[in-house]
Amino acid sequence: MRNQLRGCLKIKAEGRQLYKFINKIHSGRIYCFGQYCKNDMFFCEIYRHDLSRLAEFAKECGVTIEYTEYETLSSKLLRYRKRIGLIIGAVLAVFAVRYFSSVVISIDIQGNSRISDSVILSALDELDIRRGTSIRNINMHRCENELRLMVDGISWAGIRRTGNRIVVEVTELVEKPDMVNERMPCNVVAAHEGEITYTSVYDGMLMRIVGDYVYEGDMLINGVVSDSTGHVTTHHAMGIIKGIYKEKVTFTENYSSELFLPTGRTEEEKYLCLFSLKIPLFIGKNDYANSEVSVSESSSDIFGRQIPISIIKESYTETELTKKDFTDEELAELLNSKIYLYEQNFLSDVTIISRNISEIKTTEGLTYDVEYTLEGELGTPMEIFIK
């Protein structure tokens, strides 16, 4: 390693007073190694800092010397000593790596489901934990206790460091479940008109059997039970009564509607994001009254380490309330989309046996009357009021 820093030169010397030159080297205490003579020429190796003295001895003895330098660390540094940009860049890179390894670059929140990240980040910001904060200035234990007190719904919080990343682990409070009075006397009555296909009674007296046709409001499970002695007791009637029933839903769309549609004008705005500071890289502001925006962010890293420097690009598309006319095919597509969403949101827990669609066309628009044949839960509880 020392030779790498000091630098080594390979010397070739020739002349009439060659041996006098060799003796001067030895008497001058120049560290010379790898010496040998060949064809009236002297070869050796010396350190770079002895070159000037060796040149003086050669001049006194009338000897000519040639030298070449080995590829060492010091020779590389000397070669690039006048390239100021490279030196400054290397110094800045070393500084950046050291700096960004000692500050918070990102905050990762784990364990939250009901409490949003923004709420926890706001509380951390009040505790001076944000991107750019020096990690050694963060009192992890104190911030854990403060965070638990500041944010409702957190029962435990843990904060730890992973490199230049702060990991916040939280455990949310378990909400007290709604108290359901399962002993409140009630009956189970029909919520729909249909034919019973399945029965299972947990408590109470079954009033209808499989194959019976019932109307809305008919008693299915009776919560008032009497024994052979005439003793009457009230129960919280429970059970599963399934059946086949019909349901009718209407969907309508007009031929002409007012919608916010793109005008064709677009605008792009870029920001330089340094930690939590957003610096605009544009002049002025778009004058769109209504617009749609899409946001993308490109981050940077040095030597594999993410740094809090990024470019945020916001693309704006102007929209305007526009009257649009639809064709029959477009209206049919819109109505089919509504039917699909209705079935996904409201009929996901039942079985759709059949679906009959009746189309009604008017001068104003298109209407679909959809009649479903469904199989699902028929019963619903109804409380018994006792004087």
Side-chain angles (χ1 to χ4, degrees):
M1 182 62 187
R2 187 171 62 177
N3 290 342
Q4 285 285 320
L5 295 174
R6 296 170 69 176
C8 293
L9 303 178
K10 185 175 183 180
I11 304 297
K12 182 178 76 171
E14 59 181 333
R16 288 180 300 174
Q17 302 184 41
L18 185 61
Y19 288 98
K20 180 181 178 181
F21 171 69
I22 296 173
N23 291 332
K24 277 186 171 291
I25 293 176
H26 294 164
S27 62
R29 296 184 178 280
I30 294 178
Y31 187 73
C32 183
F33 48 94
Q35 308 174 55
Y36 66 93
C37 292
K38 183 179 181 181
N39 299 330
D40 295 329
M41 289 184 289
F42 174 67
F43 298 90
C44 68
E45 296 178 9
I46 64 171
Y47 289 122
R48 186 193 304 109
H49 61 79
D50 291 328
L51 179 62
S52 59
R53 292 180 60 203
L54 190 74
E56 291 177 3
F57 294 160
K59 186 176 180 181
E60 293 175 5
C61 300
V63 173
T64 59
I65 61 172
E66 297 178 5
Y67 65 90
T68 56
E69 184 170 8
Y70 287 108
E71 188 73 13
T72 60
L73 178 61
S74 59
S75 66
K76 291 180 181 179
L77 294 176
L78 286 174
R79 189 183 309 156
Y80 294 108
R81 67 185 184 278
K82 294 185 179 180
R83 299 187 181 182
I84 305 300
L86 288 177
I87 297 174
I88 294 175
V91 172
L92 289 177
V94 172
F95 172 78
V97 170
R98 184 172 180 81
Y99 172 74
F100 290 127
S101 64
S102 63
V103 300
V104 178
I105 301 299
S106 62
I107 300 175
D108 185 15
I109 300 174
Q110 301 175 356
N112 59 316
S113 57
R114 290 182 289 104
I115 304 172
S116 65
D117 288 355
S118 59
V119 173
I120 298 176
L121 288 173
S122 297
L124 292 173
D125 187 72
E126 293 184 24
L127 296 172
D128 292 329
I129 299 180
R130 63 181 71 90
R131 292 201 300 177
T133 301
S134 176
I135 295 177
R136 66 179 181 180
N137 293 334
I138 300 175
N139 187 331
M140 303 286 187
H141 181 68
R142 182 186 69 84
C143 291
E144 289 172 351
N145 294 330
E146 292 289 338
L147 180 63
R148 182 171 54 83
L149 296 174
M150 292 173 65
V151 180
D152 293 334
I154 292 181
S155 61
W156 176 86
I159 302 175
R160 59 185 171 86
R161 171 190 178 182
T162 304
N164 54 11
R165 182 171 65 108
I166 293 295
V167 179
V168 181
E169 297 177 298
V170 299
T171 300
E172 297 176 335
L173 288 171
V174 178
E175 292 185 349
K176 183 179 179 181
D178 294 334
M179 298 300 295
V180 179
N181 191 350
E182 295 184 352
R183 304 313 305 163
M184 178 70 70
C186 71
N187 299 318
V188 175
V189 300
H192 306 280
E193 177 185 344
E195 181 183 349
I196 298 175
T197 58
Y198 175 82
T199 63
S200 178
V201 178
Y202 306 143
D203 195 359
M205 181 183 295
L206 181 64
M207 305 300 292
R208 299 299 180 100
I209 62 174
V210 174
D212 286 355
Y213 192 89
V214 296
Y215 295 90
E216 184 176 353
D218 284 354
M219 182 82 72
L220 301 180
I221 304 176
N222 193 353
V224 180
V225 181
S226 61
D227 57 19
S228 58
T229 62
H231 179 69
V232 177
T233 57
T234 57
H235 298 254
H236 181 87
M238 292 185 295
I240 298 176
I241 308 295
K242 290 186 178 181
I244 297 175
Y245 60 94
K246 295 184 181 298
E247 184 176 294
K248 187 175 181 181
V249 187
T250 300
F251 303 93
T252 302
E253 283 288 349
N254 294 326
Y255 282 114
S256 181
S257 300
E258 289 189 341
L259 304 172
F260 281 98
L261 300 176
T263 63
R265 295 177 61 193
T266 60
E267 190 79 24
E268 187 175 276
E269 298 177 357
K270 292 184 178 180
Y271 295 87
L272 174 62
C273 187
L274 300 175
F275 296 104
S276 56
L277 178 65
K278 289 177 64 176
I279 303 173
L281 302 179
F282 58 91
I283 299 175
K285 190 74 175 177
N286 69 73
D287 56 351
Y288 301 159
N290 300 286
S291 62
E292 296 177 351
V293 61
S294 62
V295 182
S296 61
E297 181 176 2
S298 57
S299 57
S300 306
D301 59 79
I302 294 180
F303 303 132
R305 289 180 176 268
Q306 185 181 2
I307 60 176
I309 301 175
S310 60
I311 299 293
I312 297 178
K313 183 173 69 174
E314 298 180 354
S315 300
Y316 292 87
T317 302
E318 184 184 35
T319 59
E320 190 176 46
L321 192 61
T322 308
K323 186 178 181 181
K324 182 177 180 180
D325 296 327
F326 295 94
T327 63
D328 289 341
E329 291 77 11
E330 291 173 333
L331 285 186
E333 185 176 350
L334 289 174
L335 290 172
N336 285 324
S337 298
K338 282 188 173 183
I339 293 173
Y340 173 78
L341 292 175
Y342 176 81
E343 292 177 358
Q344 293 296 313
N345 293 325
F346 299 102
L347 302 180
S348 58
D349 57 345
V350 300
T351 302
I352 301 175
I353 297 175
S354 65
R355 178 194 307 107
N356 296 319
I357 301 175
S358 300
E359 180 181 301
I360 302 173
K361 186 183 297 185
T362 64
T363 56
E364 296 181 354
L366 191 64
T367 299
Y368 278 0
D369 286 333
V370 185
E371 185 175 11
Y372 290 100
T373 300
L374 308 172
E375 183 176 10
E377 180 65 47
L378 279 181
T380 184
M382 178 177 290
E383 292 182 10
I384 301 172
F385 297 99
I386 303 174
K387 293 183 180 180

